[in-house]
Every structure is written in structure tokens, then in C-alpha cells.
Amino acid sequence: MITSTVKNRKLTCLLVTLILISAGVVCWSGCGDSSKTNSPDGAAKRDHPPIELRPVDRAGYDETIKKHLGKVVFVDFWATWCGPCQEQFPHTVEFSRKYADKDVAVISVSMDDSEDPDQVALVKSFLERHHAHFDNLLSTYPFVSQEASEALDLPGPLPHYKVYDRHGKVRQEYSGAPAGLEELVDKLLAE
Amino acid sequence: MIRRTVFSLAVIAVTSMLLTSASRGAKLATGAQGPDFRAQSVDGKEVSLASQKDAEVVVVCFTCDQCPVARAYEDRLIDFAKKYAEKGVKFVAINVNRGENLDAMKERAVERGFPYPYAYDESGDSARAYGAQVTPHLFVLDKNRKVAYQGAFDDSMTQPQTPYLANAVDAVLAGKQPAVTSTRPVGCGIQPRGN
């Protein structure tokens, strides 16, 4: 009898904690002023539009790059089945926040299976969890295919990153963590 | 002025060639000697390239337990290994990922019925020597253990149409060079110790 009382208390504590955490999460994303400007201070106060995931082929990808002409563009090619990609992704988000006020655009391209609704759902929830408030694209090419790699000019392994200058030209590519990214972006911004 | 333009064009041409070459970033060129490797098989024996001396062709497949892409290809690898064993092709699977271990590998090998040695190279040296980048990443070595093909098993995980590996091995068995000697390997990044 004593054991069940202790268990009940522990359960209640857990329940209360979960409620508090959920409330905290809801508050984080919903509270604060509705200003749409990306100001560096008070990240929690930003009111972001919902995370969008846009299926694209090469033409759609090029269109997205073109949309940002005049800015330095950082593209993160990743996949939900790629552990190192998931480890690196928060750095991409951090980078996008740090450079929010500069002429920098961030694009993520998921190489997951656009024909598999479960995988698409995984992609969406991953992006939401990581607050990926930038252009999020989803490759519509056959999953894990030469065609996908060729169409998007990827060497194969993920994660893969590309940095475009203000004129829409690829200036650097990385496989694995993009070391020296900020120095490069600062340099390209100054061009 | 003209010379500079010509030079720039040459640089662009060479760079484009290098960038579009399917073996971009490949450590071993086609025809290079396949490096020896040493790994511990799930059946307790040591596996090495040197010990495959009777094989007409050796296929070295860097793979692992946990990558969804590697897992999705297991059936194809198993079918391939069985079919080509009778043609004198020795298939060896090597796992170098630091987060994995021989016990789990043994379980998987038994569960899936791998008809080939599945070995763990704890050092990661084999992956570095071959320039293996993802799982699965395959290397075909001819009778002299020179690299005849490297890259993906086929052209698509969900809609395969071109069986690159089979085509390459068929060519080598017939004494010819494969029409395609290199493709982009797609899969989970390899994570060996010592990197």
C-alpha cells in the first residue's frame, strides 16, 4: 500500500512536470510580440510563419536559389536517415539566426523519400523541432538514387553543403561539418 | 588578354570535368591496387584481402548494421553474393562504424542469413585505405586485385534499373573493363574510429 502511494506521487510529479514543459513549449512558440522582423535580440519573441516543406526537382531548386540573388546562400543537404546530418542541423539553424540581419539566406534540402508519407512526416517534424525557419525543400527524385545525386550535383555522402555568392554562383562545397563557414560567408558578403 | 581568357576557359573546363566525374573525391583510381584489409568476422575468423587469393573477383562492401540505406540493400547484397559465389566471386562485408560492435553484427548476420563474411574493422583503416565514404559503398577488385569498379550497388534504392555492381562484375569475369567504372555512392556517412 505504501508502495502504491509512492508510485502515485511519482506519477503525479511526472505528470505535472510534463504539463509544465508542454506549457513552456507552447508559450515559447506562441507568446511574445507579433513582430515579423528578425531582430537578433529576443529570439523567443519572433513570430514565425509555420514551417513549410516544398517538394522540388532541380528546376524548383534553381528557382529557390534565384529567388535569393543578391544574398549569400547556404544550402544544407540532409536526410532523416543520416545521423551526422541530424547532428549538424542545429548548427545550420544557429548560423541562420546569427546571420538573420545580413544578406544571407539558408536553404535546407531533404533527400528523404517524397513518396513515403511517413518519411515526409518525419522530415516535417524534424524541421519543426529544430525551428528551421528558412526555405525547406524536399527532393522529389527517386529515393537514394544516382539520379537524385546527379540532378542536384551531389557527390553522394550526406550531409553536403553548398555556399553560393551574391551572384548565384557556387563558391564552396563541404562534405561533413562546414569548417570555416562564417569566415567564408563574411568574405562573400564583403564582395 | 586572349591568353588570359584561354587560360580561364581551360581552368573552367578542367574543373567542370573534375566536378562532373562520377569518381569525384575517389581515393583509389580505377586500376589502382586494392589495399589489403584486416577485419574480425562475426564467425570469429580474421578476414583479409590476402586470404581471398583463389577468388576470380573480390567485392568489398563497406556496410553497417544501423544505416537504413544499408539495411534496405541487404536483400540485394545477399542475392548478389549467392548468385555470384558460384562464378568465383568472393563477397566480403566490412563494418567500420565506431558506434557498432561485433556482437550486434553477429546477431544481424544470423537473423538475416548473410551468406558472406561480415567483419568488423575496429581501426577504421580499411575504410580510409579504400576511401569508403558511405554505407553501402562497394569496390570490385579483379583477379589482380586492381579496382575495376567502385560506388553504388545500383542506380536507385526504390526504382533500380541499372545494376552497376552486377554489370561491373560480369564485365570483369568476361575479361573486359566495366562500361561504368565509378558511380556516386549514396548512403549514411561512414564513421570509423581514428577520423
Side-chain angles (χ1 to χ4, degrees):
Chain A
M1 211 186 77
I2 295 173
T3 324
S4 66
T5 315
V6 171
K7 255 199 212 162
N8 278 343
R9 215 182 310 156
K10 279 194 177 166
L11 275 171
T12 315
C13 272
L14 182 62
L15 210 57
V16 170
T17 313
L18 284 172
I19 291 170
L20 286 175
I21 291 174
S22 331
V25 169
V26 166
C27 195
W28 194 97
S29 53
C31 297
D33 64 79
S34 50
S35 151
K36 289 205 173 185
T37 54
N38 281 339
S39 57
D41 43 43
K45 286 190 179 176
R46 276 183 221 145
D47 181 26
H48 293 285
I51 303 241
E52 250 185 65
L53 180 63
R54 207 157 41 92
V56 295
D57 57 7
R58 178 58 191 252
Y61 171 83
D62 285 341
E63 209 183 287
T64 313
I65 298 285
K66 204 168 161 192
K67 183 177 90 175
H68 295 295
L69 271 176
K71 294 188 177 175
V72 172
V73 182
F74 177 68
V75 188
D76 179 334
F77 293 88
W78 68 288
T80 58
W81 43 260
C82 164
C85 300
Q86 299 192 17
E87 279 167 32
Q88 271 302 125
F89 203 86
H91 296 294
T92 294
V93 177
E94 215 181 285
F95 168 79
S96 80
R97 285 187 187 152
K98 186 168 179 185
Y99 282 79
D101 274 354
K102 309 265 173 80
D103 289 340
V104 172
V106 173
I107 301 173
S108 79
V109 182
S110 159
M111 301 304 293
D112 285 280
D113 191 352
S114 58
E115 312 260 298
D116 181 347
D118 289 332
Q119 259 192 61
V120 176
L122 273 177
V123 173
K124 280 205 176 120
S125 74
F126 180 87
L127 293 170
E128 275 156 15
R129 241 179 13 252
H130 289 271
H131 310 291
H133 295 287
F134 33 73
D135 283 312
N136 297 306
L137 309 179
L138 173 65
S139 155
T140 53
Y141 290 103
F143 186 45
V144 182
S145 64
Q146 293 296 307
E147 193 188 337
S149 301
E150 282 169 16
L152 294 167
D153 286 322
L154 300 173
L158 296 177
H160 191 73
Y161 305 93
K162 299 191 189 194
V163 182
Y164 292 76
D165 63 18
R166 293 180 185 265
H167 306 286
K169 185 167 144 232
V170 177
R171 297 289 289 272
Q172 181 73 278
E173 297 194 53
Y174 306 89
S175 279
L181 175 65
E182 294 189 11
E183 288 87 334
L184 173 66
V185 171
D186 289 339
K187 183 180 124 193
L188 295 177
L189 280 171
E191 277 181 3
Chain B
M1 163 71 187
I2 292 177
R3 216 187 317 165
R4 216 188 294 169
T5 315
V6 170
F7 178 73
S8 311
L9 285 173
V11 170
I12 291 168
V14 171
T15 313
S16 332
M17 269 167 53
L18 290 174
L19 286 177
T20 54
S21 141
S23 59
R24 164 161 57 146
K27 175 153 188 185
L28 301 172
T30 307
Q33 196 67 35
D36 195 6
F37 53 79
R38 224 160 281 279
Q40 188 70 37
S41 176
V42 294
D43 62 7
K45 302 194 186 115
E46 192 193 67
V47 175
S48 68
L49 182 59
S51 61
Q52 314 305 328
K53 43 186 176 349
D54 295 330
E56 271 292 311
V57 170
V58 176
V59 175
V60 184
C61 176
F62 289 90
T63 183
C64 68
D65 278 351
Q66 295 172 7
C67 171
V69 179
R71 287 183 165 201
Y73 268 96
E74 273 168 2
D75 282 339
R76 280 175 248 196
L77 299 180
I78 290 167
D79 289 343
F80 175 89
K82 281 187 180 155
K83 177 176 171 190
Y84 281 83
E86 36 200 85
K87 302 187 189 190
V89 177
K90 184 73 183 184
F91 189 99
V92 179
I94 302 179
N95 183 357
V96 301
N97 283 351
R98 58 179 176 263
E100 301 196 19
N101 64 77
L102 208 52
D103 286 332
M105 283 170 62
K106 184 166 186 176
E107 254 179 64
R108 186 145 194 100
V110 167
E111 180 193 319
R112 303 289 281 121
F114 293 162
Y116 46 75
Y118 184 30
Y120 193 45
D121 172 11
E122 216 178 339
S123 71
D125 290 340
S126 56
R128 275 184 293 272
Y130 277 78
Q133 299 171 288
V134 300
T135 57
H137 195 160
L138 297 129
F139 297 81
V140 175
L141 307 178
D142 66 19
K143 200 167 170 66
N144 299 311
R145 304 303 176 244
K146 298 214 192 277
V147 176
Y149 170 82
Q150 59 189 298
F153 183 90
D154 53 29
D155 63 339
S156 168
M157 203 171 100
T158 48
Q159 305 160 27
Q161 286 179 349
T162 313
Y164 293 124
L165 182 72
N167 287 352
V169 173
D170 286 341
V172 175
L173 286 171
K176 300 185 193 139
Q177 197 192 51
V180 177
T181 56
S182 164
T183 55
R184 283 166 231 241
V186 193
C188 308
I190 275 184
Q191 296 172 294
R193 281 185 186 76
N195 260 28

